[in-house]
mmCIF file of all heavy atoms in Angstrom:
data_model
loop_
_atom_site.group_PDB
_atom_site.id
_atom_site.type_symbol
_atom_site.label_atom_id
_atom_site.label_comp_id
_atom_site.label_asym_id
_atom_site.label_seq_id
_atom_site.Cartn_x
_atom_site.Cartn_y
_atom_site.Cartn_z
ATOM 1 N N HIS A 1 -2.429 -19.602 11.621
ATOM 2 C CA HIS A 1 -1.374 -20.519 12.056
ATOM 3 C C HIS A 1 -0.390 -20.878 10.936
ATOM 4 O O HIS A 1 0.435 -21.768 11.126
ATOM 5 C CB HIS A 1 -2.003 -21.792 12.618
ATOM 6 C CG HIS A 1 -2.851 -21.566 13.831
ATOM 7 N ND1 HIS A 1 -2.325 -21.277 15.067
ATOM 8 C CD2 HIS A 1 -4.205 -21.540 13.989
ATOM 9 C CE1 HIS A 1 -3.296 -21.110 15.937
ATOM 10 N NE2 HIS A 1 -4.451 -21.264 15.316
ATOM 11 N N SER A 2 -0.470 -20.214 9.801
ATOM 12 C CA SER A 2 0.466 -20.468 8.706
ATOM 13 C C SER A 2 1.554 -19.401 8.695
ATOM 14 O O SER A 2 1.281 -18.227 8.396
ATOM 15 C CB SER A 2 -0.278 -20.468 7.357
ATOM 16 O OG SER A 2 0.634 -20.525 6.287
ATOM 17 N N VAL A 3 2.771 -19.778 9.016
ATOM 18 C CA VAL A 3 3.878 -18.818 9.069
ATOM 19 C C VAL A 3 4.142 -18.174 7.702
ATOM 20 O O VAL A 3 4.276 -16.949 7.605
ATOM 21 C CB VAL A 3 5.157 -19.494 9.613
ATOM 22 C CG1 VAL A 3 6.351 -18.553 9.537
ATOM 23 C CG2 VAL A 3 4.938 -19.955 11.047
ATOM 24 N N PRO A 4 4.199 -18.943 6.598
ATOM 25 C CA PRO A 4 4.455 -18.317 5.294
ATOM 26 C C PRO A 4 3.370 -17.334 4.878
ATOM 27 O O PRO A 4 3.671 -16.260 4.335
ATOM 28 C CB PRO A 4 4.511 -19.510 4.332
ATOM 29 C CG PRO A 4 4.850 -20.678 5.180
ATOM 30 C CD PRO A 4 4.176 -20.422 6.482
ATOM 31 N N LEU A 5 2.101 -17.674 5.123
ATOM 32 C CA LEU A 5 1.016 -16.775 4.723
ATOM 33 C C LEU A 5 1.002 -15.525 5.589
ATOM 34 O O LEU A 5 0.801 -14.410 5.082
ATOM 35 C CB LEU A 5 -0.330 -17.498 4.806
ATOM 36 C CG LEU A 5 -1.535 -16.681 4.324
ATOM 37 C CD1 LEU A 5 -1.353 -16.229 2.883
ATOM 38 C CD2 LEU A 5 -2.827 -17.485 4.470
ATOM 39 N N LYS A 6 1.218 -15.680 6.887
ATOM 40 C CA LYS A 6 1.264 -14.505 7.769
ATOM 41 C C LYS A 6 2.391 -13.563 7.369
ATOM 42 O O LYS A 6 2.225 -12.338 7.386
ATOM 43 C CB LYS A 6 1.436 -14.949 9.229
ATOM 44 C CG LYS A 6 0.169 -15.462 9.870
ATOM 45 C CD LYS A 6 0.291 -15.547 11.376
ATOM 46 C CE LYS A 6 1.309 -16.565 11.814
ATOM 47 N NZ LYS A 6 1.326 -16.748 13.289
ATOM 48 N N ALA A 7 3.536 -14.117 6.994
ATOM 49 C CA ALA A 7 4.653 -13.285 6.548
ATOM 50 C C ALA A 7 4.271 -12.481 5.311
ATOM 51 O O ALA A 7 4.575 -11.284 5.201
ATOM 52 C CB ALA A 7 5.871 -14.160 6.254
ATOM 53 N N THR A 8 3.580 -13.126 4.376
ATOM 54 C CA THR A 8 3.144 -12.443 3.156
ATOM 55 C C THR A 8 2.155 -11.336 3.472
ATOM 56 O O THR A 8 2.234 -10.225 2.920
ATOM 57 C CB THR A 8 2.513 -13.454 2.179
ATOM 58 O OG1 THR A 8 3.471 -14.473 1.874
ATOM 59 C CG2 THR A 8 2.085 -12.770 0.888
ATOM 60 N N LEU A 9 1.205 -11.611 4.348
ATOM 61 C CA LEU A 9 0.187 -10.620 4.699
ATOM 62 C C LEU A 9 0.803 -9.417 5.407
ATOM 63 O O LEU A 9 0.398 -8.268 5.165
ATOM 64 C CB LEU A 9 -0.887 -11.263 5.579
ATOM 65 C CG LEU A 9 -1.710 -12.391 4.932
ATOM 66 C CD1 LEU A 9 -2.709 -12.960 5.933
ATOM 67 C CD2 LEU A 9 -2.427 -11.901 3.679
ATOM 68 N N ILE A 10 1.771 -9.655 6.257
ATOM 69 C CA ILE A 10 2.438 -8.552 6.958
ATOM 70 C C ILE A 10 3.204 -7.674 5.970
ATOM 71 O O ILE A 10 3.124 -6.441 6.015
ATOM 72 C CB ILE A 10 3.382 -9.098 8.043
ATOM 73 C CG1 ILE A 10 2.565 -9.722 9.179
ATOM 74 C CG2 ILE A 10 4.299 -8.006 8.587
ATOM 75 C CD1 ILE A 10 3.388 -10.501 10.185
ATOM 76 N N ARG A 11 3.957 -8.318 5.058
ATOM 77 C CA ARG A 11 4.692 -7.554 4.049
ATOM 78 C C ARG A 11 3.733 -6.776 3.145
ATOM 79 O O ARG A 11 4.013 -5.633 2.763
ATOM 80 C CB ARG A 11 5.561 -8.491 3.201
ATOM 81 C CG ARG A 11 6.694 -9.194 3.928
ATOM 82 C CD ARG A 11 7.805 -8.260 4.376
ATOM 83 N NE ARG A 11 8.494 -7.608 3.305
ATOM 84 C CZ ARG A 11 9.607 -8.061 2.718
ATOM 85 N NH1 ARG A 11 10.116 -9.220 3.114
ATOM 86 N NH2 ARG A 11 10.213 -7.371 1.769
ATOM 87 N N ALA A 12 2.612 -7.408 2.796
ATOM 88 C CA ALA A 12 1.631 -6.751 1.925
ATOM 89 C C ALA A 12 1.025 -5.526 2.607
ATOM 90 O O ALA A 12 0.910 -4.453 1.993
ATOM 91 C CB ALA A 12 0.536 -7.738 1.536
ATOM 92 N N ALA A 13 0.643 -5.665 3.864
ATOM 93 C CA ALA A 13 0.031 -4.548 4.590
ATOM 94 C C ALA A 13 1.011 -3.381 4.708
ATOM 95 O O ALA A 13 0.642 -2.217 4.482
ATOM 96 C CB ALA A 13 -0.417 -5.010 5.974
ATOM 97 N N ALA A 14 2.266 -3.688 5.044
ATOM 98 C CA ALA A 14 3.270 -2.632 5.198
ATOM 99 C C ALA A 14 3.493 -1.878 3.893
ATOM 100 O O ALA A 14 3.633 -0.641 3.882
ATOM 101 C CB ALA A 14 4.582 -3.239 5.694
ATOM 102 N N PHE A 15 3.516 -2.604 2.767
ATOM 103 C CA PHE A 15 3.762 -1.949 1.481
ATOM 104 C C PHE A 15 2.545 -1.170 0.995
ATOM 105 O O PHE A 15 2.650 0.000 0.619
ATOM 106 C CB PHE A 15 4.170 -2.978 0.437
ATOM 107 C CG PHE A 15 4.348 -2.393 -0.941
ATOM 108 C CD1 PHE A 15 5.514 -1.714 -1.278
ATOM 109 C CD2 PHE A 15 3.348 -2.496 -1.910
ATOM 110 C CE1 PHE A 15 5.688 -1.154 -2.532
ATOM 111 C CE2 PHE A 15 3.509 -1.953 -3.168
ATOM 112 C CZ PHE A 15 4.679 -1.279 -3.484
ATOM 113 N N PHE A 16 1.373 -1.793 0.997
ATOM 114 C CA PHE A 16 0.199 -1.177 0.380
ATOM 115 C C PHE A 16 -0.313 0.034 1.154
ATOM 116 O O PHE A 16 -0.816 0.982 0.552
ATOM 117 C CB PHE A 16 -0.911 -2.209 0.209
ATOM 118 C CG PHE A 16 -0.615 -3.242 -0.843
ATOM 119 C CD1 PHE A 16 -0.700 -4.593 -0.555
ATOM 120 C CD2 PHE A 16 -0.236 -2.872 -2.121
ATOM 121 C CE1 PHE A 16 -0.417 -5.549 -1.515
ATOM 122 C CE2 PHE A 16 0.059 -3.808 -3.096
ATOM 123 C CZ PHE A 16 -0.037 -5.151 -2.787
ATOM 124 N N ILE A 17 -0.213 0.000 2.482
ATOM 125 C CA ILE A 17 -0.648 1.168 3.249
ATOM 126 C C ILE A 17 0.165 2.394 2.864
ATOM 127 O O ILE A 17 -0.373 3.489 2.671
ATOM 128 C CB ILE A 17 -0.536 0.890 4.765
ATOM 129 C CG1 ILE A 17 -1.637 -0.076 5.201
ATOM 130 C CG2 ILE A 17 -0.640 2.190 5.560
ATOM 131 C CD1 ILE A 17 -1.554 -0.489 6.658
ATOM 132 N N ALA A 18 1.482 2.227 2.732
ATOM 133 C CA ALA A 18 2.345 3.366 2.396
ATOM 134 C C ALA A 18 2.245 3.734 0.918
ATOM 135 O O ALA A 18 2.154 4.913 0.559
ATOM 136 C CB ALA A 18 3.791 3.039 2.765
ATOM 137 N N ALA A 19 2.258 2.726 0.032
ATOM 138 C CA ALA A 19 2.248 2.999 -1.408
ATOM 139 C C ALA A 19 0.923 3.561 -1.883
ATOM 140 O O ALA A 19 0.860 4.206 -2.947
ATOM 141 C CB ALA A 19 2.572 1.720 -2.176
ATOM 142 N N SER A 20 -0.150 3.345 -1.112
ATOM 143 C CA SER A 20 -1.457 3.883 -1.504
ATOM 144 C C SER A 20 -1.464 5.407 -1.526
ATOM 145 O O SER A 20 -2.389 6.020 -2.081
ATOM 146 C CB SER A 20 -2.539 3.378 -0.549
ATOM 147 O OG SER A 20 -2.326 3.866 0.765
ATOM 148 N N ALA A 21 -0.446 6.031 -0.925
ATOM 149 C CA ALA A 21 -0.357 7.496 -0.949
ATOM 150 C C ALA A 21 -0.328 8.021 -2.383
ATOM 151 O O ALA A 21 -0.915 9.067 -2.683
ATOM 152 C CB ALA A 21 0.898 7.955 -0.200
ATOM 153 N N PHE A 22 0.323 7.286 -3.285
ATOM 154 C CA PHE A 22 0.412 7.738 -4.680
ATOM 155 C C PHE A 22 -0.964 7.788 -5.315
ATOM 156 O O PHE A 22 -1.335 8.783 -5.956
ATOM 157 C CB PHE A 22 1.322 6.802 -5.467
ATOM 158 C CG PHE A 22 1.472 7.196 -6.909
ATOM 159 C CD1 PHE A 22 2.424 8.136 -7.292
ATOM 160 C CD2 PHE A 22 0.651 6.644 -7.891
ATOM 161 C CE1 PHE A 22 2.561 8.502 -8.617
ATOM 162 C CE2 PHE A 22 0.787 6.998 -9.219
ATOM 163 C CZ PHE A 22 1.733 7.937 -9.582
ATOM 164 N N TRP A 23 -1.749 6.710 -5.133
ATOM 165 C CA TRP A 23 -3.079 6.644 -5.750
ATOM 166 C C TRP A 23 -4.021 7.687 -5.168
ATOM 167 O O TRP A 23 -4.799 8.306 -5.900
ATOM 168 C CB TRP A 23 -3.679 5.255 -5.566
ATOM 169 C CG TRP A 23 -2.885 4.169 -6.213
ATOM 170 C CD1 TRP A 23 -2.155 3.208 -5.596
ATOM 171 C CD2 TRP A 23 -2.735 3.934 -7.621
ATOM 172 N NE1 TRP A 23 -1.562 2.384 -6.520
ATOM 173 C CE2 TRP A 23 -1.906 2.805 -7.775
ATOM 174 C CE3 TRP A 23 -3.233 4.576 -8.771
ATOM 175 C CZ2 TRP A 23 -1.553 2.299 -9.017
ATOM 176 C CZ3 TRP A 23 -2.890 4.070 -10.011
ATOM 177 C CH2 TRP A 23 -2.053 2.941 -10.124
ATOM 178 N N SER A 24 -3.968 7.897 -3.864
ATOM 179 C CA SER A 24 -4.900 8.831 -3.231
ATOM 180 C C SER A 24 -4.533 10.292 -3.473
ATOM 181 O O SER A 24 -5.410 11.156 -3.491
ATOM 182 C CB SER A 24 -4.979 8.557 -1.724
ATOM 183 O OG SER A 24 -3.705 8.652 -1.124
ATOM 184 N N LEU A 25 -3.237 10.562 -3.670
ATOM 185 C CA LEU A 25 -2.793 11.952 -3.819
ATOM 186 C C LEU A 25 -2.622 12.393 -5.266
ATOM 187 O O LEU A 25 -2.529 13.595 -5.536
ATOM 188 C CB LEU A 25 -1.464 12.162 -3.076
ATOM 189 C CG LEU A 25 -1.487 11.950 -1.564
ATOM 190 C CD1 LEU A 25 -0.092 12.154 -0.984
ATOM 191 C CD2 LEU A 25 -2.482 12.893 -0.892
ATOM 192 N N LEU A 26 -2.564 11.454 -6.209
ATOM 193 C CA LEU A 26 -2.307 11.817 -7.600
ATOM 194 C C LEU A 26 -3.295 12.840 -8.156
ATOM 195 O O LEU A 26 -2.871 13.825 -8.797
ATOM 196 C CB LEU A 26 -2.284 10.560 -8.473
ATOM 197 C CG LEU A 26 -1.946 10.783 -9.959
ATOM 198 C CD1 LEU A 26 -0.569 11.438 -10.104
ATOM 199 C CD2 LEU A 26 -1.990 9.455 -10.725
ATOM 200 N N PRO A 27 -4.602 12.698 -7.940
ATOM 201 C CA PRO A 27 -5.520 13.733 -8.457
ATOM 202 C C PRO A 27 -5.243 15.116 -7.872
ATOM 203 O O PRO A 27 -5.343 16.121 -8.575
ATOM 204 C CB PRO A 27 -6.901 13.215 -8.047
ATOM 205 C CG PRO A 27 -6.721 11.754 -7.842
ATOM 206 C CD PRO A 27 -5.335 11.589 -7.304
ATOM 207 N N ILE A 28 -4.892 15.160 -6.574
ATOM 208 C CA ILE A 28 -4.615 16.452 -5.932
ATOM 209 C C ILE A 28 -3.309 17.044 -6.446
ATOM 210 O O ILE A 28 -3.189 18.258 -6.635
ATOM 211 C CB ILE A 28 -4.549 16.280 -4.399
ATOM 212 C CG1 ILE A 28 -5.833 15.623 -3.892
ATOM 213 C CG2 ILE A 28 -4.348 17.617 -3.705
ATOM 214 C CD1 ILE A 28 -5.804 15.262 -2.434
ATOM 215 N N ILE A 29 -2.321 16.159 -6.665
ATOM 216 C CA ILE A 29 -1.032 16.635 -7.203
ATOM 217 C C ILE A 29 -1.229 17.279 -8.568
ATOM 218 O O ILE A 29 -0.668 18.344 -8.868
ATOM 219 C CB ILE A 29 -0.037 15.459 -7.290
ATOM 220 C CG1 ILE A 29 0.346 14.990 -5.896
ATOM 221 C CG2 ILE A 29 1.210 15.866 -8.069
ATOM 222 C CD1 ILE A 29 1.134 13.705 -5.874
ATOM 223 N N VAL A 30 -2.044 16.647 -9.412
ATOM 224 C CA VAL A 30 -2.280 17.177 -10.763
ATOM 225 C C VAL A 30 -3.082 18.465 -10.706
ATOM 226 O O VAL A 30 -2.734 19.456 -11.375
ATOM 227 C CB VAL A 30 -3.009 16.126 -11.625
ATOM 228 C CG1 VAL A 30 -3.415 16.726 -12.975
ATOM 229 C CG2 VAL A 30 -2.117 14.913 -11.851
ATOM 230 N N SER A 31 -4.159 18.479 -9.920
ATOM 231 C CA SER A 31 -5.056 19.644 -9.925
ATOM 232 C C SER A 31 -4.511 20.828 -9.146
ATOM 233 O O SER A 31 -4.594 21.977 -9.597
ATOM 234 C CB SER A 31 -6.419 19.247 -9.357
ATOM 235 O OG SER A 31 -6.285 18.817 -8.015
ATOM 236 N N LYS A 32 -3.928 20.580 -7.958
ATOM 237 C CA LYS A 32 -3.454 21.673 -7.108
ATOM 238 C C LYS A 32 -1.948 21.883 -7.192
ATOM 239 O O LYS A 32 -1.473 23.016 -7.210
ATOM 240 C CB LYS A 32 -3.874 21.430 -5.670
ATOM 241 C CG LYS A 32 -5.388 21.471 -5.469
ATOM 242 C CD LYS A 32 -5.755 21.354 -3.997
ATOM 243 C CE LYS A 32 -7.275 21.469 -3.810
ATOM 244 N NZ LYS A 32 -7.656 21.379 -2.380
ATOM 245 N N GLY A 33 -1.200 20.772 -7.206
ATOM 246 C CA GLY A 33 0.254 20.915 -7.261
ATOM 247 C C GLY A 33 0.746 21.429 -8.597
ATOM 248 O O GLY A 33 1.693 22.223 -8.665
#
């Protein structure tokens, strides 16, 4: 029921889900790419 906290959580989820691609793919990029 907190509008400011919900806004933060939504922004965080949107950013971290997409940006996590760098962390998960970096080993493969180095070894295979």
Side-chain angles (χ1 to χ4, degrees):
H1 297 287
S2 172
V3 174
L5 184 58
K6 282 195 295 186
T8 302
L9 297 178
I10 291 170
R11 295 292 297 267
F15 176 80
F16 290 127
I17 287 176
S20 64
F22 180 85
W23 298 110
S24 57
L25 298 178
L26 183 59
I28 305 173
I29 292 170
V30 173
S31 62
K32 295 185 177 181

